[in-house]
């Protein structure tokens, strides 16, 4: 391979790697803006609570919800949920509003023992007055394998992610019957388990995404600078050789 071909190959590789790093940096910036937009939507106070039907009419916004819901005898246990450094599960139970819409209600977090045996879940019964935050379901990340696995407990599934279509299928709900968001039960309510209203649980805050974006862009610049230095040295070496 001639020096010219080597230089072309080297620059092509450097540009390809730098472009890949820039794409990754751009993706991190996109995630930062998405999470900043989510946090900016947080309603100012619980006194502005609306019914579930009103919240569902504006699916792109966050709302405080206060409503009467009829809880269904089923639970979805979201695995790999950390709280205070401990591993556990989040408990979701479907509930039906007066309009017929079914929403997953986040009842809170339970720890898992070392043998990962699932705790007994006391499902809510009948119609309950609830209040909470109408918010997006937890981010699923990379979807690998089935979203739900049946457990030994009746009408209970262990989930690797909140996949609403898969959950609707298991609950034998029709298309559109399961709400596109979840109801984060107010921690002040004497129902369920330990919980908070953190909108970004088990995920990176916007500042971390910005930090990763800067790192990717810096790596892209470093690749181009290294290629430039190598090109300069190659030319200088060639010049010395010709002069000799």
């Amino acid at each position: 391979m001639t020096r010219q071909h080597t230089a072309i190959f080297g620059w092509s590789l450097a540009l390809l790697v730098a472009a890949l790093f820039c794409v990754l940096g751009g993706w991190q910036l996109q995630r930062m803006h998405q999470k900043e937009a989510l946090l900016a939507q947080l309603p100012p106070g619980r006194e502005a609570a609306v019914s579930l039907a009103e919240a569902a009419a504006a699916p792109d916004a966050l709302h405080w919800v206060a409503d009467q819901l009829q809880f269904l005898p089923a639970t979805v246990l979201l695995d790999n949920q950390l709280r205070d450094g401990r591993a556990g599960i989040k408990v979701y139970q479907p509930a039906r509003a007066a309009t017929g819409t079914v929403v997953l209600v986040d009842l809170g977090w339970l720890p898992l023992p070392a043998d990962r045996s699932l705790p007994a879940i006391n499902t809510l019964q009948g119609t309950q007055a609830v209040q909470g935050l109408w918010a997006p379901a937890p981010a699923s990340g990379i979807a690998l394998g089935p979203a739900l696995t049946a457990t030994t407990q009746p009408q209970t599934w262990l989930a690797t992610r909140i996949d609403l279509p898969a959950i609707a299928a298991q609950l034998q709900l029709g298309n559109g019957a399961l709400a596109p968001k979840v109801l984060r039960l107010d921690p002040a309510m004497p129902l369920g388990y330990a919980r908070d209203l953190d909108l970004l649980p088990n995920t990176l805050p916007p500042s971390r995404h910005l930090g990763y974006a800067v790192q990717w862009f810096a790596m892209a610049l470093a690749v181009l600078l290294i290629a430039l230095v190598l090109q300069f040295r190659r030319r200088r070496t060639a010049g010395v050789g010709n002069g000799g």
Side-chain angles (χ1 to χ4, degrees), residues 26-213:
W27 178 75
Q28 290 289 349
L29 286 179
Q30 182 182 19
R31 293 291 291 149
M32 179 193 74
H33 292 314
Q34 289 173 346
K35 292 182 177 180
E36 286 179 339
L38 176 63
L39 293 175
Q41 295 176 27
L42 186 64
R46 292 167 173 79
E47 64 277 1
V50 299
S51 69
L52 185 63
E54 292 173 298
D60 295 332
L62 299 179
H63 296 280
W64 290 111
V65 167
D67 211 333
Q68 297 273 341
L69 299 180
Q70 180 185 9
F71 281 86
L72 306 180
T75 48
V76 176
L77 310 178
L78 181 59
D79 202 1
N80 300 316
Q81 300 300 293
L82 296 177
R83 184 179 178 87
D84 298 329
R86 298 180 64 191
I89 54 173
K90 262 195 175 182
V91 181
Y92 290 86
Q93 185 173 349
R96 192 184 305 275
T99 58
T101 298
V102 177
V103 61
L104 282 183
V105 180
D106 178 357
L107 299 181
W109 176 91
L110 283 173
L112 282 183
D115 62 2
R116 288 185 51 82
S117 58
L118 294 178
I121 306 298
N122 297 318
T123 57
L124 298 181
Q125 305 291 326
T127 300
Q128 303 266 0
V130 298
Q131 64 181 16
L133 186 63
W134 170 255
S140 60
I142 299 175
L144 296 176
L148 299 173
T149 303
T151 70
T152 57
Q153 300 180 24
Q155 289 289 94
T156 300
W157 293 271
L158 186 64
T160 58
R161 59 188 181 275
I162 296 298
D163 185 328
L164 294 176
I167 293 171
Q170 288 289 352
L171 298 177
Q172 298 182 350
L173 301 175
N175 292 334
L178 186 61
K181 291 186 177 182
V182 300
L183 183 62
R184 306 279 301 278
L185 201 62
D186 191 335
M189 293 201 67
L191 299 173
Y193 312 101
R195 59 185 180 272
D196 53 48
L197 294 179
D198 182 6
L199 289 177
L200 303 175
N202 296 322
T203 187
L204 299 177
S207 59
R208 290 287 297 277
H209 285 291
L210 177 60
Y212 286 135

